[in-house]
Amino acid sequence: MVGLDDLYVLDLSTQIAGAYCTKLLRDAGATVLKIEAPGGDPLRRWTASGAPIPEGTDGVLFRFLHAGKESIVLDLETPGGRAALLDRAVRADLVVENFGPGGLARRGLGFPILADHNASLSLVSISAWGLDGPWALRPATEWTLQAATGMMARRGLPERGPVGVGGRIGEWVAGTYASFGALTACAHARHTGAGQHVDVSMFEALLQCGTQYHDLNGQFLGTPLPQFVDTPSIEPARDGWVGFATVTAQQWQDFCALIECPDLAEDPRYHHTDNRMKDLPFIHAKIHAWTREHTVEEIVERASALRIPVAPVGNGATLAHLDHFAARGVFEKHPGGFLQPCVPYRIDGRRGPAPADAPALDQHRGATTPRPREALPPTGPSMPLEGLRVLDLTAFWAGPFLTSHLAMLGADVVKIESTQRPDGMRFVNAIKGGTFWEAGSIFHGANTDKRDVTLQLDSDEGRSLFLRLVESADVVVENFSVRVLSNLGLPPEEMRRRNPRLIVVRMPSWGLDGPWRDRVGFAMNVEQACGIAWLSGYEDLPMIVNVCDPIGALHAFVALVRALDARAVTGEGAQIEVPLVEPGLNLAAEQILEYTAYGRTLSRSGNRGPGAAPRGVYRCADEVDIALAIDDDQQWDALRAVLGHPAWAEGDELRQAAGRHGAHDRLDRALAATFAAASSDAISAKLRAAGVPAEPLVNAHFVMPNPQLEHRRFYQDLDHPVVGRRRYPTLPMRFSGLGPAWHRSPPPTLGRHNAEILGGELGLSESELEKLREKKVIGEKPAWK
């Protein structure tokens, strides 16, 4: 498909997004040459804690992200540097860059020039808004992009104001999605001989991964999305913090039994999370009266016995000591002596390459490069995954997110549910009414382009029919609890015995082994355990983010491409294991890196962070909140000029970030007063015109209309038989030769393709199908209806 082991990548990017993209490619087998400007990538000198970097070494985040890569210095502002890059581009499969709109073209290195030198070369460009559109040059940081997506306005307590997500999450999300775009482009090039320019928008990536299809929910409901804190979620214990996720009504009732509050379980109002939010002080008082009396270990043990999704809240100081992580060996020792997360997936029990250090600046100046690749004749269909048959056993978000992306790339994805237990996401945020199970916004967002079959897999007939489908499938994807497949009589070994070419993708929360393997877990628990939640929220209240489901799915995509490549050579299938917690540990890597290298425990600080200063959310006279982030000294000077050089902004100590961090309390008070007297439209427009990132907080239900999204055709209209015509998100990137119409069909209704697949493909007669319906082995509505 791609040929990862001989993939040659040129990484021109700086900071996190491009680096994580090429790390994922390197860990999957690619050779990556990092091309740096004189002086090197600024990330070499970065530490989130401010810890000094020992002379002669680089910061630990740089060493983690660039482990095993090569480095040379090229000055692309000079003719000699550009010529040297083009010489290497002739030999390359992929270039990754983040110069921004027009950045490569201004250096005489735009995609047409690269393609003239190498027609099969693909280029991945990562930018804030995308390379074109009315907002392409709008100043932004990943944090102000959170405001534009609706992520920020949703999070937090109304009396304390909105709070963004820490840990530079947008850069990690964009980098993960960029690896998806890179592999898609390279697969297309191998099929057609033509490279692709992949234009990745961090804004759109955050919309896909950080908002749970809130735009679709807004279309269904038509009302604003209220500010919200999950309850229960991260709660104080006697000796730390513990995390819960009560997604189902049964889990809420079991939680009430755990905290010895049967009255809460008996009150029907509190079966719905929105009502708990309305009475949050009362609910918190009940919860905390119990949790503060028990240790984290006691709470986790008791909750697990009741099958309540639960996890300890991890941070840099504790992660390596959690028994499950130690048992699974999820951290490895970097050659520099500190701990780092492992490659976050296993293929037939094997992880990626052994730990390696990052290169010194220009270390590989004299190294040989691959010979120019011979032009390949077209070998297959134009869509990268056309002809691939996928059986989708997944539910909720992570698994369906993966399989919907496979479908968008041309795979034939057959979603398999049962009338007894349809996908639980059919009922989340569903429009009330007759066929409400066909009107859940998250289900709609994650299940486009699929066909749908119902099979009662714990019946002999259902199991037999499924195994017949397995015989002609390429891939089976599941995200059940670990024991479920075996309990159904469908262990992966049996599936692969019937079809030795089959690739089975397994996506449990915690992994197939280890002390937590049988615990129930949702993405919220994953974020609680892996450290992502630790960096987000108020100083006295960590908060979940809700990105681990789609992020885990995108890592599973990388692993699947790697397994498909291997199968093309060996003819043999594989079992892929992608525990959702392990991609989460990679996104939160900076915590374990800094603690084990420098002894520093990173933490959250509301809307502040270790980079931009000042950074905060400020309410204007018209009650609109503005997210402001001063990322460098030049932006600070621009802010002062826009505000008329107020006295509070004077002083030499404020001319550098360290001084502004030290004066953040004072600056916050002055900025709050300034914005409170200003119109949100006027002040944000003036700031952006001066190059200062300043973004109004958008309600996620009303992210549209948006001129940038409309220009880039991020949404695509589809007609659904129950909810009518709606807009659905596509991919957060544009390809020069694919799309932008990625969707072929709306989300399927339950059992919509029973006759087409079971009858048309497996040969069952109409009378046989009717008998299966009578037995409820198949059906087109939930069994209880």
Side-chain angles (χ1 to χ4, degrees), residues 157-159 231 270 275-289:
L157 299 168
E159 66 273 16
T231 308
Y270 299 136
N275 288 330
R276 293 176 222 158
M277 183 68 189
K278 292 174 184 175
D279 289 342
L280 195 60
F282 169 73
I283 299 290
H284 270 170
K286 291 272 194 177
I287 294 172
H288 298 166

Side-chain angles (χ1 to χ4, degrees), residues 108-119:
L109 296 168
F111 182 62
I113 293 174
L114 294 174
D116 282 345
H117 284 74
N118 181 351

Side-chain angles (χ1 to χ4, degrees), residues 458-528:
D458 58 358
S459 71
D460 291 340
E461 296 102 321
R463 187 163 46 248
S464 175
L465 289 168
F466 174 74
L467 289 171
R468 288 179 63 188
L469 291 173
V470 163
E471 290 170 1
S472 61
D474 295 290
V475 180
V476 170
V477 185
E478 65 90 13
N479 63 346
F480 295 123
S481 297
V482 173
R483 299 173 294 178
V484 170
L485 280 183
S486 294
N487 290 346
L488 290 171
L490 295 170
E493 298 80 13
E494 172 62 16
M495 290 189 251
R496 294 177 65 190
R497 185 187 70 78
R498 288 175 176 255
N499 179 355
R501 289 177 53 81
L502 185 71
I503 296 171
V504 181
V505 181
R506 309 193 67 183
M507 303 173 65
S509 293
W510 309 115
L512 298 179
D513 58 22
W516 301 0
R517 72 182 289 272
D518 292 321
R519 287 185 188 171
V520 181
F522 289 102
M524 297 80 91
N525 305 114
V526 164
E527 292 182 356
Q528 292 155 1

